[in-house]
């Protein structure tokens, strides 16, 4: 049924005549409204259904990728129990058989049933005159359709669109076939046919939605290659094109922001070093060379009238807080307020106490301001009545306009990855354009720094303070904790403190409280005489503070906690970090947890408890952790294991939805996108030209981040 009017990407699916009401509903519930929404939905993978050898041609000892039909299946017992599936060529029930055997994989029996088609990959071996494959890789082909298809036929709806494909072109077989994430209420086959038909009816000449990043590779052609590539190479090429488009959108926004921010006239907030020298003289240690370099870089920014927009990056324990404090002292001395914004109340309290201690005897005022404090009115009165320079420590409550201190010269945002880009923006763009320093302990590969923080200048603390105790990391089975307990006993006797961290199993208040309390009881029965604290996410801010304060003051010796201790907490006397079910944490998270120890001069121990066995999922990251202490190396591994999108969390990183993750780590794409963005903004800084209008909407937020073109 050819369409009268050709389709465009922004044609609403409602206006696609041949689409059934039921399918339209299914698509809409999946959030797909327009033709472009469907066409920009990337195949999850492809199946190469072009070649499959007939079973009669198989040769002993060779490895094959085959498409086969299941004729019988069942358990077999010989010297070992195994599940055997007899397969043959589809549509040839009396033809040759191949016997697939799975040993020690009982779940296979649940996945395979007679009548299914399988895609298998494995090595053929002739045994007792039979063709066999032991533990082959397999995939049930279009399993997701089977039930639906039967249902549809049962309901008398036999006219599946796939069968009405014009031009004899095959959509589902005999080609490289796209496989998508399932849309509920729609069989994979129907969805694939839909994509095929939309592409068929698409207008000849269409422009990409926002900007054409690759004019020599027509957008329409690229869409075709993305969904129905003629060869693997085509799909790679198409993905690259769309990855570049996505990367360009992201880099364009970053470039735009950077130019905006630089255009502001800021303040000069570093004039003299009196406080800085006083602090350094009072410190029991010297700043590391890296810290000094970072302070100098920050100082230069602050001394210039351009607003500072800098990222301070450093591995856990590298001493970022002190660098931030130096910057804040510079601001205060030049007559400005300086604010430190921490992601949690615990950290805000910690910074506050820390600063009070470090600045004791100096004539610098410090206030604490967090959302949980009930002293809003006092605080506001205090702030409005008195804008004398001081350091203010707080949580994100400080980000709200009404709480923002007047005369703000410098804002430091600790653990930036816990905040969103928009929150950072809100500070940068506030009234008098304060200098902004963001700090992060999430080490990210260099190309990504450019991607995520391309609008920031970067300082890196690439050196840990000297005199740190060694950190030993060990992986242990939780069934055998006798020696671990004995070791904990000896550390406690030596006066050290211990963290015990458990994952959040279920995200419900009752269960979190319960499992945390159960942990506490457990450890109380083991160390009945040791004072312990319990910290979990369901406590009030004041309760948490009290628990943290007691641990910091060494009044409690063990701290039983959920991940609230993950970031920033600094108790140098703690030497053991015991992590339950370590495999259920992310790699970077484990690195953060381990960063809580090894902060003093004592040797420290990170003990990972896990039942996982070598080769099992979740095990590899634990091995990585045992192998290295280097945060950058760990970040690289995390990227490799989980993929950048999952590591970074697209929401907070300001990436938007990432569909083509390749570009996140592809420096060439990033540089090219970066260059293209700069060229456009050089030529048309305000994006006034008509063909830049879509870009203008992009940066002003009118176009959703997810648009790819
Ligand atoms: P992070 O970079 O993880 O935020 P912190 O700022 O919490 O690290 O610092 C970790 C610990 O190192 C703190 O106890 C801090 O007092 C200490 N520290 C910071 N700088 C130095 C230094 N130059 N020499 C010795 N110890 C330092
Ligand atoms: Mg910190």
């Amino acid at each position: 049924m050819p369409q009268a009017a050709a389709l465009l990407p922004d044609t609403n699916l409602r206006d696609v005549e041949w689409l059934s009401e039921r399918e339209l509903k299914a698509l809409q519930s999946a959030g797909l409204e327009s033709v472009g929404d469907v066409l920009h939905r990337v195949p999850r993978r492809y199946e190469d259904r072009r070649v499959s050898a007939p079973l009669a041609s198989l040769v002993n000892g060779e490895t094959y990728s085959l498409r086969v039909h299941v004729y019988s299946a069942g358990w077999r017992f010989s010297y070992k129990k195994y599940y055997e599936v007899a397969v043959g060529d589809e549509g040839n029930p009396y033809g040759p058989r191949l016997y697939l055997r799975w040993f020690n994989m009982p779940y296979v029996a649940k996945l395979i049933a007679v009548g299914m088609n399988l895609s298998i990959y494995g090595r053929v071996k002739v045994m007792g005159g039979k063709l066999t494959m032991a533990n082959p890789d397999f995939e049930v082909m279009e399993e997701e359709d089977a039930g639906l298809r039967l249902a549809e036929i049962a309901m008398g709806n036999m006219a599946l669109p796939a069968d009405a494909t014009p031009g004899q072109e095959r959509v589902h077989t005999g080609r490289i076939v796209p496989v998508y994430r399932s849309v509920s209420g729609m069989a994979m086959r129907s969805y694939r046919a839909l994509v095929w038909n939309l592409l068929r009816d698409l207008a000849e000449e269409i422009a990409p939605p926002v900007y054409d990043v690759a004019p020599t590779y027509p957008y329409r052609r690229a869409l075709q290659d993305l969904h129905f590539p003629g060869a693997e190479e085509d799909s790679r090429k198409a993905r690259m094109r769309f990855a570049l488009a996505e990367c360009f959108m992201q880099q364009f926004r970053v470039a735009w922001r950077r130019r905006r921010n630089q255009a502001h006239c800021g303040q000069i907030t570093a004039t003299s070093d009196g406080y800085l020298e006083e602090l350094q003289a009072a410190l029991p240690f010297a700043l590391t060379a890296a810290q000094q370099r970072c302070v100098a870089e920050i100082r230069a920014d602050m001394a210039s009238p351009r607003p500072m927009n800098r990222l301070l990056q450093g591995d856990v324990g590298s001493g970022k807080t002190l660098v931030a404090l130096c910057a804040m002292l510079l601001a205060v001395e030049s007559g400005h307020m300086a604010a430190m914004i921490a992601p949690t109340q615990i950290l805000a309290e910690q910074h506050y106490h820390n600063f009070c201690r470090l600045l004791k005897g100096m004539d610098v005022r410090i206030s604490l301001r967090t959302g949980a404090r009930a002293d809003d009115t006092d605080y506001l009165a205090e702030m409005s009545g008195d804008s004398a320079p001081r350091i203010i420590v707080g949580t994100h409550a400080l980000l709200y306009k009404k709480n923002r201190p007047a005369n703000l010269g410098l804002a430091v945002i600790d653990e930036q990855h816990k905040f969103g880009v928009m929150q950072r923006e809100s500070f940068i763009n506030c009234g008098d354009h304060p200098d902004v320093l963001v700090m992060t302990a999430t080490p990210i590969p260099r190309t990504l720094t450019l991607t995520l923080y391309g609008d920031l200048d970067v300082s890196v603390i690439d050196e840990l303070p000297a005199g740190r105790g060694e950190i030993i990391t060990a992986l242990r089975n939780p069934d055998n904790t006798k020696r671990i307990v004995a070791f904990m006993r000896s550390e406690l006797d030596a006066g050290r403190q211990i963290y015990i961290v458990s994952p959040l199993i279920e995200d419900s208040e009752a269960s979190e409280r319960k499992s945390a309390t159960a942990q506490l009881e457990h450890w109380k029965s083991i160390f009945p005489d040791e004072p312990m604290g319990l910290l979990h996410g369901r406590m009030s801010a004041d309760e948490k503070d009290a628990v943290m304060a007691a641990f910091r003051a060494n009044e409690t010796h063990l701290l039983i906690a959920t991940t609230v201790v993950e970031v920033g907490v600094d108790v140098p006397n703690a030497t053991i970090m015991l992590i339950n079910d370590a495999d259920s944490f992310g790699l970077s998270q484990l690195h953060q947890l381990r960063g809580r120890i090894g902060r003093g001069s004592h040797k420290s121990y990170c003990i990972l408890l896990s039942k996982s066995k070598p080769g099992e999922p979740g095990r590899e990251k634990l091995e990585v952790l045992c192998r290295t202490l280097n945060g950058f190396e760990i970040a690289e591994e995390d990227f490799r294991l989980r993929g950048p999108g999952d590591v970074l969390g697209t929401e907070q990183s300001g990436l938007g939805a990432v569909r083509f993750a390749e570009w996140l780590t592809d420096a060439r794409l990033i540089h090219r996108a970066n260059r293209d963005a700069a060229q456009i903004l050089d030529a048309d800084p305000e994006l006034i030209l008509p063909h830049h209008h879509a870009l203008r909407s992009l940066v002003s937020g009118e176009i959703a981040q997810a648009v790819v073109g």
Side-chain angles (χ1 to χ4, degrees):
M1 297 161 270
Q3 177 84 3
L7 302 176
L8 293 170
D10 55 5
T11 304
N12 196 302
L13 288 172
R14 261 196 324 261
D15 302 327
V16 177
E17 285 166 12
W18 43 260
L19 203 58
S20 78
E21 200 53 38
R22 194 174 51 80
E23 287 183 328
L24 180 64
K25 275 225 180 68
L27 294 167
Q28 286 172 335
S29 339
L32 303 169
E33 298 283 344
S34 69
V35 169
D37 288 347
V38 175
L39 295 183
H40 289 149
R41 199 163 168 267
V42 186
R44 186 159 56 98
R45 61 189 169 84
Y46 302 89
E47 272 174 17
D48 190 345
R49 300 184 185 171
R50 286 175 302 182
V51 282
S52 170
L55 292 196
S57 70
L58 301 190
V59 174
N60 187 22
E62 296 290 309
T63 300
Y64 293 93
S65 162
L66 301 170
R67 185 184 155 86
V68 291
H69 187 77
V70 177
Y71 287 100
S72 70
W75 288 101
R76 296 281 178 278
F77 302 89
S78 57
Y79 63 105
K80 245 177 165 179
K81 185 180 172 187
Y82 59 90
Y83 194 67
E84 185 176 83
V85 173
V87 298
D89 299 320
E90 191 180 5
N92 187 5
Y94 305 109
R97 288 279 183 273
L98 169 67
Y99 296 88
L100 313 177
R101 294 170 174 176
W102 281 278
F103 299 88
N104 297 323
M105 294 165 77
Y107 65 89
V108 170
K110 297 202 181 78
L111 300 178
I112 297 183
V114 172
M116 284 177 167
N117 286 330
L118 302 180
S119 168
I120 58 170
Y121 180 82
R123 187 149 168 258
V124 169
K125 198 168 169 194
V126 177
M127 288 177 79
K130 283 171 148 188
L131 287 174
T132 70
M133 261 187 198
N135 293 345
D137 266 348
F138 76 100
E139 212 162 20
V140 176
M141 307 203 55
E142 298 184 344
E143 176 197 24
E144 57 268 79
D145 298 3
L148 259 172
R149 218 161 38 216
L150 288 177
E152 276 185 274
I153 291 167
M155 282 156 54
N157 181 6
M158 300 282 286
L160 295 176
D163 305 323
T165 307
Q168 302 305 314
E169 274 241 58
R170 300 174 86 181
V171 180
H172 304 284
T173 55
R175 64 173 314 126
I176 297 177
V177 166
V179 179
Y180 303 86
R181 262 171 234 293
S182 56
V183 167
S184 108
M186 218 171 159
M188 179 61 63
R189 229 176 141 82
S190 316
Y191 184 83
R192 186 181 300 126
L194 165 79
V195 175
W196 176 273
N197 291 336
L198 288 179
L199 284 168
R200 177 197 61 196
D201 292 346
L202 210 53
E204 277 307 317
E205 302 259 328
I206 43 169
V210 178
Y211 182 77
D212 195 354
V213 287
T216 55
Y217 183 16
Y219 173 60
R220 194 183 194 291
R221 173 83 233 161
L223 283 173
Q224 182 72 39
D225 288 347
L226 180 67
H227 294 284
F228 293 96
E232 259 172 66
E233 187 45 39
D234 296 341
S235 78
R236 247 199 309 279
K237 208 172 117 198
R239 279 169 176 269
M240 198 64 113
R241 190 215 168 277
F242 288 105
L244 178 63
E246 194 169 80
C247 179
F248 171 81
M249 304 296 163
Q250 197 271 346
Q251 289 296 301
F252 193 82
R253 265 187 241 111
V254 165
W256 172 264
R257 263 205 306 268
R258 185 179 180 94
R259 284 178 194 229
R260 292 282 112 168
N261 296 339
Q262 286 185 339
H264 295 140
C265 193
Q267 320 166 34
I268 295 180
T269 52
T271 42
S272 50
D273 300 330
Y275 286 151
L276 211 61
E277 280 160 15
E278 228 179 297
L279 170 70
Q280 295 199 19
L283 281 178
F285 46 76
L287 294 188
T288 62
Q291 283 173 316
Q292 283 175 17
R293 178 171 39 75
C294 291
V295 171
E297 285 165 6
I298 292 165
R299 192 183 191 292
D301 278 0
M302 292 173 65
S304 106
R306 188 175 70 84
M308 171 166 78
N309 232 323
R310 187 170 283 275
L311 172 73
L312 178 60
Q313 224 192 331
D315 208 344
V316 281
S318 58
K320 293 182 288 292
T321 319
L322 198 56
V323 172
L325 181 61
C326 292
M328 291 195 285
L329 287 175
L330 285 168
V332 171
E333 188 166 343
S334 71
H336 293 86
M337 295 276 187
M340 169 80 140
I341 296 129
T344 65
Q345 164 126 6
I346 288 179
L347 284 186
E349 297 271 346
Q350 174 180 293
H351 286 319
Y352 175 72
H353 292 303
N354 207 353
F355 295 164
C356 288
R357 184 171 51 82
L358 290 168
L359 303 185
K360 206 184 209 150
M362 284 172 63
D363 184 26
V364 178
R365 298 206 289 157
I366 312 174
S367 355
L368 177 66
R369 167 75 173 83
T370 63
R373 301 268 140 193
D375 57 359
D376 279 24
T377 44
D378 290 358
Y379 167 83
L380 285 176
E382 187 190 344
M383 283 297 121
S384 54
D386 174 10
S387 59
R390 74 178 73 194
I391 290 172
I392 304 158
V393 184
T395 55
H396 59 280
L398 276 180
L399 290 165
Y400 300 127
K401 259 209 178 65
K402 69 175 172 75
N403 296 333
R404 197 173 283 156
N407 187 22
L408 186 63
L410 170 69
V412 180
I413 305 181
D414 193 16
E415 309 296 349
Q416 145 76 23
H417 61 288
K418 296 272 163 183
F419 295 101
V421 172
M422 287 338 240
Q423 286 171 307
R424 162 155 59 92
E425 286 285 279
S426 86
F427 242 120
I428 295 171
N429 292 327
C430 83
D432 37 6
H433 302 293
D435 288 322
V436 174
L437 179 68
V438 301
M439 307 202 285
T440 178
T442 309
I444 47 179
R446 290 216 184 280
T447 50
L448 269 176
T449 312
L450 183 61
T451 313
L452 295 177
Y453 299 113
D455 56 334
L456 302 178
D457 298 305
V458 180
S459 291
V460 183
I461 310 185
D462 48 8
E463 163 186 25
L464 291 180
R468 287 278 167 86
E470 191 185 351
I471 300 183
I472 311 272
T473 307
L475 182 51
R476 294 285 180 268
N477 191 307
D479 295 335
N480 187 8
T481 49
K482 222 169 162 184
R483 285 177 56 191
I484 297 173
V485 167
F487 179 65
M488 291 165 82
R489 176 80 270 160
S490 68
E491 282 292 291
L492 288 167
D493 288 345
R496 302 287 83 78
Q497 287 164 280
I498 298 177
Y499 293 102
I500 299 171
V501 177
S502 306
L504 270 184
I505 311 290
E506 261 179 88
D507 199 15
S508 92
E509 173 153 3
S511 74
E512 179 171 0
R513 220 178 261 289
K514 198 162 141 237
S515 62
T517 317
Q519 274 289 322
L520 183 68
E521 293 309 318
H522 171 69
W523 289 104
K524 273 205 169 133
S525 71
I526 293 175
F527 300 118
D529 302 328
E530 294 291 342
M532 297 180 191
L534 179 64
L535 195 67
H536 60 76
R538 307 294 167 166
M539 295 162 64
S540 78
D542 285 341
E543 284 174 303
K544 283 188 206 160
D545 283 349
V547 171
M548 255 344 275
F551 190 65
R552 209 174 286 129
N554 200 3
E555 287 159 12
T556 50
H557 299 162
L558 292 100
L559 186 65
I560 319 286
T562 54
T563 47
V564 257
V565 290
E566 182 192 335
V567 271
V569 170
D570 185 38
V571 180
N573 189 47
T575 54
I576 294 184
M577 168 62 71
L578 182 74
I579 306 178
N580 287 310
D581 297 318
D583 44 287
S584 54
F585 291 93
L587 186 47
S588 299
Q589 214 179 1
L590 289 167
H591 180 63
Q592 277 289 336
L593 283 170
R594 180 170 60 181
R596 297 313 109 215
I597 54 168
R599 296 184 152 242
S601 56
H602 309 288
K603 194 163 171 178
S604 296
Y605 307 85
C606 178
I607 305 169
L608 308 168
L609 294 181
S610 167
K611 284 192 196 301
S612 65
K613 299 191 178 60
E616 277 181 5
R619 172 74 174 208
E620 195 176 349
K621 63 187 169 199
L622 303 182
E623 286 161 359
V624 170
L625 210 68
C626 292
R627 192 170 71 225
T628 177
L629 288 164
N630 183 317
F632 284 94
E633 217 173 290
I634 286 172
E636 298 273 5
E637 282 296 323
D638 207 8
F639 275 79
R640 193 176 62 74
L641 292 173
R642 283 200 292 159
D646 283 345
V647 176
L648 296 166
T650 48
E651 190 64 38
Q652 292 188 325
S653 56
L655 281 173
V658 175
R659 299 171 194 223
F660 300 89
E662 300 95 317
W663 63 270
L664 283 168
T665 46
D666 190 334
R668 285 167 316 161
L669 283 189
I670 294 170
H671 285 301
R672 166 146 175 215
N674 212 287
R675 196 193 57 210
D676 291 354
Q679 268 169 9
I680 295 172
L681 288 170
D682 283 343
D684 182 15
E686 297 298 323
L687 302 175
I688 297 165
L689 297 174
H691 62 283
H692 288 158
H693 279 177
L695 284 171
R696 173 96 215 174
S697 315
L698 178 79
V699 292
S700 65
E702 282 164 36
I703 295 184
Q705 302 225 337
V707 171
V708 179

